[in-house]
Amino acid sequence: MHGPATAGWLVVALCAAAGTYCLLRLRGAPGAGRGTAGGEALMGFGMAAMAVPAAVVTPPRWVWLLYAAVFGVAALRTLGPARRSSHHLHHLVGMLAMVYMSVAMALLPGAAHDGHGAQGTGDAGGTPLATGVLLIYYAGFVLWTGARLLPLQTVTVTAPDGGAGPELAGTVLPDTGRTTGPVAGTVTEAVPVVAPDVGAPEGRPEMALACRLSMGIAMLAMLLTL
């Protein structure tokens, strides 16, 4: 992709790390979770490959078309689950965004692939409307996912013997119902318990959210340099 080399390498590292963690999630994930983790690993490594600065590697046009074909097939496989789950719908949007960026890069004039990037030739990949819609979507996704990682609720619970324990407060992670530490005392606030992420290792749903947040930030950076 085009843009400063330093920013490009940061995106490569971020996406490769997220993809690696998603591969590790495959080991302990249940049947449905394996598909989720596999799709996110594909996204992570695909984005890492696409984010390599153009000054270092200048892919020929057929490579971008191959990216578009791979993610197009992945998008088709996600169509069914996307009708039943908002999480899979996000996967579908991500796959389509990868197809869009790959086709946009493939359609750039040959001079835009000379290592200096589209900025040096005055050409821009994609269409402003599609790029703008994706930027708005991913900006909202990053803010929403980041908010879900914040410890917003504090609860206290009654000790088994009915008395107050020595430790009082524990912080509940949103969407997990898990506390950050042992708690005792009296219930002061009701906490909704949400089912754990099917694609995350048992007890670590916040790590899966952090990976999705990282890839959302990386997608924003890649769309801005398109």
Side-chain angles (χ1 to χ4, degrees), residues 142-179:
V142 166
L143 292 174
W144 178 68
T145 306
R148 292 172 68 192
L149 285 171
L150 295 175
L152 299 178
Q153 295 174 304
T154 300
V155 298
T156 55
V157 299
T158 303
D161 58 1
E167 296 173 314
L168 286 180
T171 302
V172 175
L173 297 174
D175 292 342
T176 67
R178 296 174 56 243
T179 60

PDB file of all heavy atoms in Angstrom, residues 142-179:
ATOM      1  N   VAL A 142     -14.070   0.962  15.574  1.00  0.00           N
ATOM      2  CA  VAL A 142     -12.939   1.125  16.493  1.00  0.00           C
ATOM      3  C   VAL A 142     -13.400   1.758  17.800  1.00  0.00           C
ATOM      4  O   VAL A 142     -13.019   1.320  18.899  1.00  0.00           O
ATOM      5  CB  VAL A 142     -11.835   1.960  15.815  1.00  0.00           C
ATOM      6  CG1 VAL A 142     -10.818   2.444  16.853  1.00  0.00           C
ATOM      7  CG2 VAL A 142     -11.131   1.145  14.740  1.00  0.00           C
ATOM      8  N   LEU A 143     -14.224   2.801  17.706  1.00  0.00           N
ATOM      9  CA  LEU A 143     -14.716   3.464  18.921  1.00  0.00           C
ATOM     10  C   LEU A 143     -15.588   2.510  19.742  1.00  0.00           C
ATOM     11  O   LEU A 143     -15.473   2.445  20.970  1.00  0.00           O
ATOM     12  CB  LEU A 143     -15.500   4.717  18.550  1.00  0.00           C
ATOM     13  CG  LEU A 143     -14.688   5.863  17.934  1.00  0.00           C
ATOM     14  CD1 LEU A 143     -15.609   6.988  17.478  1.00  0.00           C
ATOM     15  CD2 LEU A 143     -13.656   6.384  18.929  1.00  0.00           C
ATOM     16  N   TRP A 144     -16.460   1.769  19.080  1.00  0.00           N
ATOM     17  CA  TRP A 144     -17.366   0.852  19.776  1.00  0.00           C
ATOM     18  C   TRP A 144     -16.600  -0.295  20.435  1.00  0.00           C
ATOM     19  O   TRP A 144     -16.835  -0.623  21.598  1.00  0.00           O
ATOM     20  CB  TRP A 144     -18.384   0.309  18.774  1.00  0.00           C
ATOM     21  CG  TRP A 144     -19.349  -0.679  19.339  1.00  0.00           C
ATOM     22  CD1 TRP A 144     -20.333  -0.439  20.259  1.00  0.00           C
ATOM     23  CD2 TRP A 144     -19.436  -2.070  19.024  1.00  0.00           C
ATOM     24  NE1 TRP A 144     -21.028  -1.595  20.526  1.00  0.00           N
ATOM     25  CE2 TRP A 144     -20.501  -2.603  19.783  1.00  0.00           C
ATOM     26  CE3 TRP A 144     -18.730  -2.902  18.155  1.00  0.00           C
ATOM     27  CZ2 TRP A 144     -20.859  -3.947  19.708  1.00  0.00           C
ATOM     28  CZ3 TRP A 144     -19.083  -4.239  18.070  1.00  0.00           C
ATOM     29  CH2 TRP A 144     -20.137  -4.736  18.848  1.00  0.00           C
ATOM     30  N   THR A 145     -15.646  -0.869  19.707  1.00  0.00           N
ATOM     31  CA  THR A 145     -14.861  -1.974  20.266  1.00  0.00           C
ATOM     32  C   THR A 145     -13.972  -1.491  21.404  1.00  0.00           C
ATOM     33  O   THR A 145     -13.822  -2.177  22.419  1.00  0.00           O
ATOM     34  CB  THR A 145     -14.001  -2.630  19.171  1.00  0.00           C
ATOM     35  OG1 THR A 145     -14.841  -3.005  18.077  1.00  0.00           O
ATOM     36  CG2 THR A 145     -13.292  -3.861  19.702  1.00  0.00           C
ATOM     37  N   GLY A 146     -13.383  -0.305  21.243  1.00  0.00           N
ATOM     38  CA  GLY A 146     -12.562   0.238  22.319  1.00  0.00           C
ATOM     39  C   GLY A 146     -13.361   0.470  23.577  1.00  0.00           C
ATOM     40  O   GLY A 146     -12.896   0.201  24.692  1.00  0.00           O
ATOM     41  N   ALA A 147     -14.609   0.944  23.427  1.00  0.00           N
ATOM     42  CA  ALA A 147     -15.472   1.170  24.595  1.00  0.00           C
ATOM     43  C   ALA A 147     -15.803  -0.139  25.292  1.00  0.00           C
ATOM     44  O   ALA A 147     -15.936  -0.192  26.520  1.00  0.00           O
ATOM     45  CB  ALA A 147     -16.744   1.886  24.168  1.00  0.00           C
ATOM     46  N   ARG A 148     -15.940  -1.223  24.522  1.00  0.00           N
ATOM     47  CA  ARG A 148     -16.264  -2.521  25.122  1.00  0.00           C
ATOM     48  C   ARG A 148     -15.105  -3.065  25.949  1.00  0.00           C
ATOM     49  O   ARG A 148     -15.307  -3.892  26.839  1.00  0.00           O
ATOM     50  CB  ARG A 148     -16.613  -3.527  24.022  1.00  0.00           C
ATOM     51  CG  ARG A 148     -17.898  -3.224  23.287  1.00  0.00           C
ATOM     52  CD  ARG A 148     -18.093  -4.138  22.103  1.00  0.00           C
ATOM     53  NE  ARG A 148     -18.324  -5.516  22.507  1.00  0.00           N
ATOM     54  CZ  ARG A 148     -18.295  -6.544  21.675  1.00  0.00           C
ATOM     55  NH1 ARG A 148     -18.009  -6.340  20.388  1.00  0.00           N
ATOM     56  NH2 ARG A 148     -18.536  -7.769  22.108  1.00  0.00           N
ATOM     57  N   LEU A 149     -13.897  -2.603  25.666  1.00  0.00           N
ATOM     58  CA  LEU A 149     -12.736  -3.077  26.420  1.00  0.00           C
ATOM     59  C   LEU A 149     -12.524  -2.298  27.711  1.00  0.00           C
ATOM     60  O   LEU A 149     -11.738  -2.713  28.565  1.00  0.00           O
ATOM     61  CB  LEU A 149     -11.471  -2.971  25.562  1.00  0.00           C
ATOM     62  CG  LEU A 149     -11.318  -4.028  24.467  1.00  0.00           C
ATOM     63  CD1 LEU A 149     -10.152  -3.676  23.555  1.00  0.00           C
ATOM     64  CD2 LEU A 149     -11.115  -5.408  25.076  1.00  0.00           C
ATOM     65  N   LEU A 150     -13.215  -1.166  27.860  1.00  0.00           N
ATOM     66  CA  LEU A 150     -13.034  -0.356  29.058  1.00  0.00           C
ATOM     67  C   LEU A 150     -13.792  -0.972  30.238  1.00  0.00           C
ATOM     68  O   LEU A 150     -14.946  -1.374  30.101  1.00  0.00           O
ATOM     69  CB  LEU A 150     -13.553   1.064  28.818  1.00  0.00           C
ATOM     70  CG  LEU A 150     -12.797   1.886  27.777  1.00  0.00           C
ATOM     71  CD1 LEU A 150     -13.500   3.225  27.571  1.00  0.00           C
ATOM     72  CD2 LEU A 150     -11.359   2.093  28.196  1.00  0.00           C
ATOM     73  N   PRO A 151     -13.157  -1.049  31.413  1.00  0.00           N
ATOM     74  CA  PRO A 151     -13.867  -1.537  32.614  1.00  0.00           C
ATOM     75  C   PRO A 151     -14.785  -0.448  33.142  1.00  0.00           C
ATOM     76  O   PRO A 151     -14.353   0.473  33.829  1.00  0.00           O
ATOM     77  CB  PRO A 151     -12.726  -1.835  33.587  1.00  0.00           C
ATOM     78  CG  PRO A 151     -11.612  -0.932  33.165  1.00  0.00           C
ATOM     79  CD  PRO A 151     -11.749  -0.761  31.671  1.00  0.00           C
ATOM     80  N   LEU A 152     -16.076  -0.536  32.807  1.00  0.00           N
ATOM     81  CA  LEU A 152     -17.013   0.541  33.121  1.00  0.00           C
ATOM     82  C   LEU A 152     -17.878   0.279  34.346  1.00  0.00           C
ATOM     83  O   LEU A 152     -18.455   1.211  34.887  1.00  0.00           O
ATOM     84  CB  LEU A 152     -17.937   0.781  31.921  1.00  0.00           C
ATOM     85  CG  LEU A 152     -17.241   1.212  30.631  1.00  0.00           C
ATOM     86  CD1 LEU A 152     -18.261   1.356  29.515  1.00  0.00           C
ATOM     87  CD2 LEU A 152     -16.497   2.516  30.830  1.00  0.00           C
ATOM     88  N   GLN A 153     -18.002  -0.981  34.779  1.00  0.00           N
ATOM     89  CA  GLN A 153     -18.929  -1.300  35.853  1.00  0.00           C
ATOM     90  C   GLN A 153     -18.184  -1.868  37.053  1.00  0.00           C
ATOM     91  O   GLN A 153     -17.289  -2.681  36.920  1.00  0.00           O
ATOM     92  CB  GLN A 153     -19.970  -2.311  35.368  1.00  0.00           C
ATOM     93  CG  GLN A 153     -20.872  -1.769  34.275  1.00  0.00           C
ATOM     94  CD  GLN A 153     -21.775  -2.839  33.727  1.00  0.00           C
ATOM     95  OE1 GLN A 153     -21.320  -3.866  33.272  1.00  0.00           O
ATOM     96  NE2 GLN A 153     -23.062  -2.599  33.806  1.00  0.00           N
ATOM     97  N   THR A 154     -18.570  -1.420  38.241  1.00  0.00           N
ATOM     98  CA  THR A 154     -17.978  -1.915  39.480  1.00  0.00           C
ATOM     99  C   THR A 154     -19.060  -2.538  40.336  1.00  0.00           C
ATOM    100  O   THR A 154     -20.124  -1.947  40.522  1.00  0.00           O
ATOM    101  CB  THR A 154     -17.297  -0.777  40.263  1.00  0.00           C
ATOM    102  OG1 THR A 154     -16.280  -0.210  39.444  1.00  0.00           O
ATOM    103  CG2 THR A 154     -16.682  -1.308  41.550  1.00  0.00           C
ATOM    104  N   VAL A 155     -18.794  -3.737  40.846  1.00  0.00           N
ATOM    105  CA  VAL A 155     -19.789  -4.440  41.651  1.00  0.00           C
ATOM    106  C   VAL A 155     -19.159  -4.956  42.930  1.00  0.00           C
ATOM    107  O   VAL A 155     -17.953  -5.108  43.029  1.00  0.00           O
ATOM    108  CB  VAL A 155     -20.391  -5.642  40.888  1.00  0.00           C
ATOM    109  CG1 VAL A 155     -21.106  -5.197  39.644  1.00  0.00           C
ATOM    110  CG2 VAL A 155     -19.309  -6.654  40.567  1.00  0.00           C
ATOM    111  N   THR A 156     -20.009  -5.196  43.923  1.00  0.00           N
ATOM    112  CA  THR A 156     -19.590  -5.911  45.119  1.00  0.00           C
ATOM    113  C   THR A 156     -20.597  -7.015  45.360  1.00  0.00           C
ATOM    114  O   THR A 156     -21.775  -6.868  45.043  1.00  0.00           O
ATOM    115  CB  THR A 156     -19.536  -4.979  46.342  1.00  0.00           C
ATOM    116  OG1 THR A 156     -20.797  -4.345  46.497  1.00  0.00           O
ATOM    117  CG2 THR A 156     -18.452  -3.935  46.168  1.00  0.00           C
ATOM    118  N   VAL A 157     -20.166  -8.126  45.895  1.00  0.00           N
ATOM    119  CA  VAL A 157     -21.061  -9.259  46.113  1.00  0.00           C
ATOM    120  C   VAL A 157     -20.953  -9.725  47.556  1.00  0.00           C
ATOM    121  O   VAL A 157     -19.989  -9.431  48.250  1.00  0.00           O
ATOM    122  CB  VAL A 157     -20.719 -10.432  45.164  1.00  0.00           C
ATOM    123  CG1 VAL A 157     -20.870 -10.025  43.732  1.00  0.00           C
ATOM    124  CG2 VAL A 157     -19.302 -10.929  45.431  1.00  0.00           C
ATOM    125  N   THR A 158     -21.974 -10.455  47.994  1.00  0.00           N
ATOM    126  CA  THR A 158     -22.009 -10.951  49.360  1.00  0.00           C
ATOM    127  C   THR A 158     -21.148 -12.196  49.502  1.00  0.00           C
ATOM    128  O   THR A 158     -21.147 -13.072  48.641  1.00  0.00           O
ATOM    129  CB  THR A 158     -23.456 -11.286  49.751  1.00  0.00           C
ATOM    130  OG1 THR A 158     -24.248 -10.111  49.582  1.00  0.00           O
ATOM    131  CG2 THR A 158     -23.525 -11.767  51.183  1.00  0.00           C
ATOM    132  N   ALA A 159     -20.403 -12.267  50.585  1.00  0.00           N
ATOM    133  CA  ALA A 159     -19.568 -13.438  50.869  1.00  0.00           C
ATOM    134  C   ALA A 159     -20.456 -14.645  51.118  1.00  0.00           C
ATOM    135  O   ALA A 159     -21.617 -14.513  51.514  1.00  0.00           O
ATOM    136  CB  ALA A 159     -18.684 -13.159  52.087  1.00  0.00           C
ATOM    137  N   PRO A 160     -19.950 -15.869  50.876  1.00  0.00           N
ATOM    138  CA  PRO A 160     -20.767 -17.079  51.050  1.00  0.00           C
ATOM    139  C   PRO A 160     -21.394 -17.206  52.433  1.00  0.00           C
ATOM    140  O   PRO A 160     -22.496 -17.726  52.583  1.00  0.00           O
ATOM    141  CB  PRO A 160     -19.774 -18.200  50.773  1.00  0.00           C
ATOM    142  CG  PRO A 160     -18.739 -17.586  49.895  1.00  0.00           C
ATOM    143  CD  PRO A 160     -18.621 -16.171  50.362  1.00  0.00           C
ATOM    144  N   ASP A 161     -20.688 -16.746  53.504  1.00  0.00           N
ATOM    145  CA  ASP A 161     -21.224 -16.890  54.857  1.00  0.00           C
ATOM    146  C   ASP A 161     -22.148 -15.736  55.246  1.00  0.00           C
ATOM    147  O   ASP A 161     -22.611 -15.649  56.376  1.00  0.00           O
ATOM    148  CB  ASP A 161     -20.078 -16.982  55.865  1.00  0.00           C
ATOM    149  CG  ASP A 161     -19.162 -15.766  55.815  1.00  0.00           C
ATOM    150  OD1 ASP A 161     -19.447 -14.840  55.004  1.00  0.00           O
ATOM    151  OD2 ASP A 161     -18.176 -15.747  56.567  1.00  0.00           O
ATOM    152  N   GLY A 162     -22.417 -14.851  54.315  1.00  0.00           N
ATOM    153  CA  GLY A 162     -23.317 -13.737  54.586  1.00  0.00           C
ATOM    154  C   GLY A 162     -22.615 -12.534  55.177  1.00  0.00           C
ATOM    155  O   GLY A 162     -23.198 -11.474  55.296  1.00  0.00           O
ATOM    156  N   GLY A 163     -21.330 -12.669  55.533  1.00  0.00           N
ATOM    157  CA  GLY A 163     -20.607 -11.546  56.102  1.00  0.00           C
ATOM    158  C   GLY A 163     -19.821 -10.806  55.049  1.00  0.00           C
ATOM    159  O   GLY A 163     -19.730 -11.227  53.900  1.00  0.00           O
ATOM    160  N   ALA A 164     -19.273  -9.708  55.453  1.00  0.00           N
ATOM    161  CA  ALA A 164     -18.485  -8.900  54.531  1.00  0.00           C
ATOM    162  C   ALA A 164     -17.053  -9.400  54.524  1.00  0.00           C
ATOM    163  O   ALA A 164     -16.465  -9.652  55.569  1.00  0.00           O
ATOM    164  CB  ALA A 164     -18.524  -7.429  54.948  1.00  0.00           C
ATOM    165  N   GLY A 165     -16.484  -9.556  53.364  1.00  0.00           N
ATOM    166  CA  GLY A 165     -15.110 -10.008  53.249  1.00  0.00           C
ATOM    167  C   GLY A 165     -14.141  -8.859  53.330  1.00  0.00           C
ATOM    168  O   GLY A 165     -14.528  -7.694  53.331  1.00  0.00           O
ATOM    169  N   PRO A 166     -12.843  -9.146  53.343  1.00  0.00           N
ATOM    170  CA  PRO A 166     -11.837  -8.095  53.464  1.00  0.00           C
ATOM    171  C   PRO A 166     -11.669  -7.275  52.190  1.00  0.00           C
ATOM    172  O   PRO A 166     -11.212  -6.148  52.243  1.00  0.00           O
ATOM    173  CB  PRO A 166     -10.556  -8.869  53.773  1.00  0.00           C
ATOM    174  CG  PRO A 166     -10.801 -10.228  53.191  1.00  0.00           C
ATOM    175  CD  PRO A 166     -12.262 -10.479  53.356  1.00  0.00           C
ATOM    176  N   GLU A 167     -12.026  -7.877  51.018  1.00  0.00           N
ATOM    177  CA  GLU A 167     -11.873  -7.141  49.775  1.00  0.00           C
ATOM    178  C   GLU A 167     -13.263  -6.807  49.250  1.00  0.00           C
ATOM    179  O   GLU A 167     -14.176  -7.619  49.317  1.00  0.00           O
ATOM    180  CB  GLU A 167     -11.117  -7.983  48.745  1.00  0.00           C
ATOM    181  CG  GLU A 167      -9.685  -8.290  49.194  1.00  0.00           C
ATOM    182  CD  GLU A 167      -9.030  -9.262  48.249  1.00  0.00           C
ATOM    183  OE1 GLU A 167      -9.657 -10.270  47.893  1.00  0.00           O
ATOM    184  OE2 GLU A 167      -7.882  -8.982  47.868  1.00  0.00           O
ATOM    185  N   LEU A 168     -13.400  -5.588  48.689  1.00  0.00           N
ATOM    186  CA  LEU A 168     -14.743  -5.147  48.363  1.00  0.00           C
ATOM    187  C   LEU A 168     -14.996  -5.026  46.866  1.00  0.00           C
ATOM    188  O   LEU A 168     -15.944  -5.553  46.370  1.00  0.00           O
ATOM    189  CB  LEU A 168     -15.039  -3.805  49.043  1.00  0.00           C
ATOM    190  CG  LEU A 168     -15.275  -3.893  50.547  1.00  0.00           C
ATOM    191  CD1 LEU A 168     -15.565  -2.514  51.090  1.00  0.00           C
ATOM    192  CD2 LEU A 168     -16.417  -4.845  50.873  1.00  0.00           C
ATOM    193  N   ALA A 169     -14.235  -4.338  46.124  1.00  0.00           N
ATOM    194  CA  ALA A 169     -14.650  -4.012  44.760  1.00  0.00           C
ATOM    195  C   ALA A 169     -13.910  -4.848  43.739  1.00  0.00           C
ATOM    196  O   ALA A 169     -12.747  -5.167  43.888  1.00  0.00           O
ATOM    197  CB  ALA A 169     -14.424  -2.535  44.470  1.00  0.00           C
ATOM    198  N   GLY A 170     -14.629  -5.186  42.688  1.00  0.00           N
ATOM    199  CA  GLY A 170     -14.030  -5.829  41.522  1.00  0.00           C
ATOM    200  C   GLY A 170     -14.628  -5.194  40.286  1.00  0.00           C
ATOM    201  O   GLY A 170     -15.792  -4.820  40.272  1.00  0.00           O
ATOM    202  N   THR A 171     -13.836  -5.046  39.230  1.00  0.00           N
ATOM    203  CA  THR A 171     -14.310  -4.378  38.022  1.00  0.00           C
ATOM    204  C   THR A 171     -14.735  -5.410  37.004  1.00  0.00           C
ATOM    205  O   THR A 171     -14.026  -6.363  36.753  1.00  0.00           O
ATOM    206  CB  THR A 171     -13.191  -3.494  37.429  1.00  0.00           C
ATOM    207  OG1 THR A 171     -12.796  -2.560  38.421  1.00  0.00           O
ATOM    208  CG2 THR A 171     -13.698  -2.755  36.201  1.00  0.00           C
ATOM    209  N   VAL A 172     -15.896  -5.201  36.421  1.00  0.00           N
ATOM    210  CA  VAL A 172     -16.440  -6.146  35.448  1.00  0.00           C
ATOM    211  C   VAL A 172     -16.120  -5.667  34.048  1.00  0.00           C
ATOM    212  O   VAL A 172     -16.341  -4.510  33.703  1.00  0.00           O
ATOM    213  CB  VAL A 172     -17.965  -6.281  35.616  1.00  0.00           C
ATOM    214  CG1 VAL A 172     -18.545  -7.175  34.531  1.00  0.00           C
ATOM    215  CG2 VAL A 172     -18.273  -6.851  36.987  1.00  0.00           C
ATOM    216  N   LEU A 173     -15.566  -6.566  33.217  1.00  0.00           N
ATOM    217  CA  LEU A 173     -15.272  -6.232  31.840  1.00  0.00           C
ATOM    218  C   LEU A 173     -16.557  -6.296  31.025  1.00  0.00           C
ATOM    219  O   LEU A 173     -17.293  -7.272  31.110  1.00  0.00           O
ATOM    220  CB  LEU A 173     -14.253  -7.210  31.263  1.00  0.00           C
ATOM    221  CG  LEU A 173     -12.883  -7.190  31.943  1.00  0.00           C
ATOM    222  CD1 LEU A 173     -12.024  -8.296  31.375  1.00  0.00           C
ATOM    223  CD2 LEU A 173     -12.205  -5.847  31.762  1.00  0.00           C
ATOM    224  N   PRO A 174     -16.836  -5.270  30.221  1.00  0.00           N
ATOM    225  CA  PRO A 174     -18.057  -5.281  29.421  1.00  0.00           C
ATOM    226  C   PRO A 174     -18.124  -6.506  28.527  1.00  0.00           C
ATOM    227  O   PRO A 174     -17.122  -6.961  28.007  1.00  0.00           O
ATOM    228  CB  PRO A 174     -17.939  -3.988  28.584  1.00  0.00           C
ATOM    229  CG  PRO A 174     -17.017  -3.129  29.371  1.00  0.00           C
ATOM    230  CD  PRO A 174     -16.063  -4.058  30.065  1.00  0.00           C
ATOM    231  N   ASP A 175     -19.330  -7.033  28.326  1.00  0.00           N
ATOM    232  CA  ASP A 175     -19.625  -8.152  27.438  1.00  0.00           C
ATOM    233  C   ASP A 175     -19.051  -9.482  27.915  1.00  0.00           C
ATOM    234  O   ASP A 175     -19.108 -10.467  27.200  1.00  0.00           O
ATOM    235  CB  ASP A 175     -19.108  -7.896  26.012  1.00  0.00           C
ATOM    236  CG  ASP A 175     -19.880  -6.784  25.344  1.00  0.00           C
ATOM    237  OD1 ASP A 175     -20.981  -6.466  25.818  1.00  0.00           O
ATOM    238  OD2 ASP A 175     -19.378  -6.246  24.358  1.00  0.00           O
ATOM    239  N   THR A 176     -18.434  -9.523  29.111  1.00  0.00           N
ATOM    240  CA  THR A 176     -17.874 -10.794  29.569  1.00  0.00           C
ATOM    241  C   THR A 176     -18.468 -11.234  30.883  1.00  0.00           C
ATOM    242  O   THR A 176     -18.564 -12.418  31.155  1.00  0.00           O
ATOM    243  CB  THR A 176     -16.347 -10.679  29.747  1.00  0.00           C
ATOM    244  OG1 THR A 176     -16.071  -9.791  30.821  1.00  0.00           O
ATOM    245  CG2 THR A 176     -15.679 -10.181  28.464  1.00  0.00           C
ATOM    246  N   GLY A 177     -18.854 -10.283  31.746  1.00  0.00           N
ATOM    247  CA  GLY A 177     -19.341 -10.625  33.068  1.00  0.00           C
ATOM    248  C   GLY A 177     -18.227 -11.052  34.000  1.00  0.00           C
ATOM    249  O   GLY A 177     -18.470 -11.459  35.131  1.00  0.00           O
ATOM    250  N   ARG A 178     -16.959 -10.967  33.584  1.00  0.00           N
ATOM    251  CA  ARG A 178     -15.827 -11.364  34.412  1.00  0.00           C
ATOM    252  C   ARG A 178     -15.324 -10.170  35.205  1.00  0.00           C
ATOM    253  O   ARG A 178     -15.330  -9.047  34.726  1.00  0.00           O
ATOM    254  CB  ARG A 178     -14.684 -11.902  33.548  1.00  0.00           C
ATOM    255  CG  ARG A 178     -15.028 -13.165  32.801  1.00  0.00           C
ATOM    256  CD  ARG A 178     -13.908 -13.571  31.846  1.00  0.00           C
ATOM    257  NE  ARG A 178     -12.657 -13.721  32.554  1.00  0.00           N
ATOM    258  CZ  ARG A 178     -11.584 -12.977  32.332  1.00  0.00           C
ATOM    259  NH1 ARG A 178     -11.615 -12.007  31.461  1.00  0.00           N
ATOM    260  NH2 ARG A 178     -10.468 -13.191  33.024  1.00  0.00           N
ATOM    261  N   THR A 179     -14.851 -10.425  36.420  1.00  0.00           N
ATOM    262  CA  THR A 179     -14.275  -9.370  37.240  1.00  0.00           C
ATOM    263  C   THR A 179     -12.769  -9.450  37.170  1.00  0.00           C
ATOM    264  O   THR A 179     -12.182 -10.492  36.894  1.00  0.00           O
ATOM    265  CB  THR A 179     -14.724  -9.504  38.707  1.00  0.00           C
ATOM    266  OG1 THR A 179     -14.292 -10.779  39.187  1.00  0.00           O
ATOM    267  CG2 THR A 179     -16.231  -9.385  38.821  1.00  0.00           C
TER     268      THR A 179
END
